[in-house]
């Protein structure tokens, strides 16, 4: 789920801003780092870990948002100075109001996640960070769809169909996910008390159904991502809106 959420965010940014995303090798390294971060968070979560996570996540979120908004990649001190000058000289009101609104919302959202991490320090860092990634993916997806509609880019029927199928299956899957039958934070003897009768074919329980349904939901979700711009297949790439 972590890898798929990361790839989904990457794909949405890459569609209209291919010059801003790193190469695929760097993306794979970043995904490997995310998995390592999750493992460390599960094994060594505590005040020190969450303090470091708060600082790193806040800085990373601000840098990514500003780079996407100002379309500038920081690679040297000289470029950093030029980037700061671009921020000061940016006219007001912003030329791309949807993009500006998305940048502000993303900053506030991720600052809220960062503050929640340092204040609550959730014992289940695995689920917390997954919620962070999935929320960012969902926000990015809705921003992409809404902006396409604002710029009057007519979508085809396929992504709409895939969206409906993915949404319905996700809702059913989340229903089964909330019917917790195990708790890995508890000792096995205690967690076993949450076991329930198998509900499908006398063999699969609610958590198994969550895995089955989430697999189908992910399939339709990525089909939607891959077909979002099918309505602009005949439009030259240099004529597409950048948002």
């Amino acid at each position: 789920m972590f890898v798929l959420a990361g790839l989904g965010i990457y794909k949405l940014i890459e569609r209209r801003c291919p010059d801003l995303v790193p190469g695929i090798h760097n993306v794979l390294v970043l995904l490997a780092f995310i998995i390592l971060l999750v493992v460390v968070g599960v094994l060594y979560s505590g005040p020190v870990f969450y303090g470091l996570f708060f600082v790193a996540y806040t800085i990373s979120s601000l840098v990514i948002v500003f780079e996407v908004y100002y379309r500038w990649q920081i690679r040297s001190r000289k470029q950093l100075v030029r980037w700061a000058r671009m921020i000061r000289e940016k006219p007001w009101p912003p030329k791309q109001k949807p993009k500006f609104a998305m940048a502000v919302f993303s900053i506030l959202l991720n600052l809220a996640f960062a503050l929640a991490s340092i204040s609550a320090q959730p014992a289940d860092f695995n689920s917390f960070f997954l919620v962070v990634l999935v929320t960012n993916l969902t926000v990015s997806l809705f921003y992409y769809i809404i902006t396409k509609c604002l710029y009057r880019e007519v979508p085809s029927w396929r992504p709409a169909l895939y969206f409906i199928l993915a949404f319905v299956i996700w809702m059913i899957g989340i229903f089964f996910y909330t019917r917790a039958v195990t708790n890995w934070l508890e000792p096995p003897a205690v967690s076993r008390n949450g076991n329930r009768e198998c509900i499908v074919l006398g063999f699969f329980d609610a958590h198994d159904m969550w895995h089955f349904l989430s697999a189908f939901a992910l399939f339709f979700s990525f089909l939607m991502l891959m077909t979002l711009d099918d309505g602009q297949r005949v439009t030259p790439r240099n004529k597409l809106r950048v948002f």
Side-chain angles (χ1 to χ4, degrees), residues 3 8 29 35 58 60 151 173 182 201:
V3 173
V29 172
I35 299 301
T58 302
S60 301
Y151 289 140
T182 60
L201 301 178

Side-chain angles (χ1 to χ4, degrees), residues 44-192:
Y44 304 105
S45 61
V48 175
F49 171 81
Y50 278 109
L52 295 174
F53 175 80
F54 170 80
V55 175
Y57 186 76
T58 302
I59 295 175
S60 301
S61 300
L62 292 174
V63 169
I64 292 173
V65 170
F66 280 118
E67 284 195 357
V68 172
Y69 181 73
Y70 289 101
R71 299 183 56 79
W72 187 257
Q73 292 182 323
I74 303 174
R75 301 191 184 280
S76 66
R77 183 178 178 182
K78 184 178 180 180
Q79 290 178 339
L80 179 60
V81 173
R82 183 179 175 184
W83 188 57
R85 188 181 300 117
M86 289 174 62
I87 297 177
R88 292 196 304 269
E89 296 174 355
K90 194 74 174 178
W92 182 267
K95 294 181 179 180
Q96 291 184 310
K97 293 182 180 180
K99 193 172 185 178
F100 177 78
M102 176 62 179
V104 173
F105 183 79
S106 295
I107 291 174
L108 295 177
L109 175 66
N110 287 286
L111 284 178
F113 278 130
L115 290 173
S117 69
I118 193 66
S119 59
Q121 296 185 15
D124 189 0
F125 177 77
N126 180 21
S127 298
F128 169 76
F129 195 58
L130 182 59
V131 169
V132 171
L133 290 179
V134 171
T135 303
N136 276 278
L137 174 60
T138 304
V139 170
S140 300
L141 175 62
F142 277 99
Y143 163 74
Y144 196 93
I145 295 174
I146 293 172
T147 308
K148 280 176 66 69
C149 295
L150 290 176
Y151 289 140
R152 298 180 181 178
E153 293 187 0
V154 181
S156 64
W157 60 270
R158 287 187 180 87
L161 174 62
Y162 297 146
F163 175 82
I164 295 173
L165 290 173
F167 179 79
V168 171
I169 298 175
W170 273 123
M171 291 300 100
I172 300 174
I174 291 174
F175 168 76
F176 285 108
Y177 179 78
T178 55
R179 299 181 63 184
V181 295
T182 60
N183 185 357
W184 66 270
L185 295 174
E186 300 288 348
V190 177
S191 177
R192 193 178 297 115

Side-chain angles (χ1 to χ4, degrees), residues 3-22 24 27 30-31 136-137 140-141 144 221-230 237 243:
V3 173
L4 294 175
L7 288 176
I9 296 173
Y10 169 84
K11 189 63 181 177
L12 285 172
I13 298 176
E14 186 265 344
R15 281 184 173 275
R16 299 301 172 104
C17 304
D19 56 322
L20 292 182
V21 296
I24 189 62
V27 173
L30 177 61
L31 294 176
N136 276 278
L137 174 60
S140 300
L141 175 62
Y144 196 93
S221 298
F222 270 87
L223 280 180
M224 178 188 61
L225 286 178
M226 300 300 293
T227 57
L228 269 177
D229 286 335
D230 276 7
R237 191 167 183 83
F243 51 80

